[in-house]
């Protein structure tokens, strides 16, 4: 596991990995971990929306699912999808 997603302070680590890791597997795992955190990870919303433009299709798909799960208004992510 990237980090234990319930650990305090895991959200900023996962957000950083999502934005900066060169390996796609690390980025989609970070997105998965953020999704598993639920409400505490909502502050990562802007990083998740930005990751919808990731060059890797698995990362984009994972992020799209997580955005839908975490975002109270998923419609806000629509501009990043088009």
């Amino acid at each position: 596991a990237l980090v234990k997603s319930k650990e305090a302070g895991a959200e900023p680590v996962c957000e950083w990995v999502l934005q900066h890791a060169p390996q796609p597997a690390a980025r989609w795992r970070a997105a998965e971990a953020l999704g598993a955190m639920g409400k505490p990870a909502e502050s990562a919303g802007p990083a998740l929306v930005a990751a919808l433009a990731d060059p890797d299709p698995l990362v984009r798909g994972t992020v799209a699912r997580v955005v839908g799960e975490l975002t109270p208004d998923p419609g806000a992510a629509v501009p990043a999808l088009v």
Side-chain angles (χ1 to χ4, degrees):
L2 181 64
V3 293
K4 292 182 181 176
S5 61
K6 302 298 181 189
E7 287 181 16
E11 181 273 326
V13 173
C14 291
E15 187 175 343
W16 187 92
V17 170
L18 179 63
Q19 294 174 319
H20 301 287
Q23 306 87 358
R27 296 193 306 274
W28 71 256
R29 286 186 178 114
E32 283 283 331
L34 288 166
M37 287 178 214
K39 194 161 186 69
E42 286 181 353
S43 63
L48 286 162
V49 170
L52 289 168
D54 193 279
D56 186 86
L58 183 56
V59 175
R60 289 192 310 269
T62 302
V63 168
R65 180 181 49 77
V66 171
V67 166
E69 292 170 357
L70 292 181
T71 308
D73 178 17
V78 169
L81 295 170
V82 284

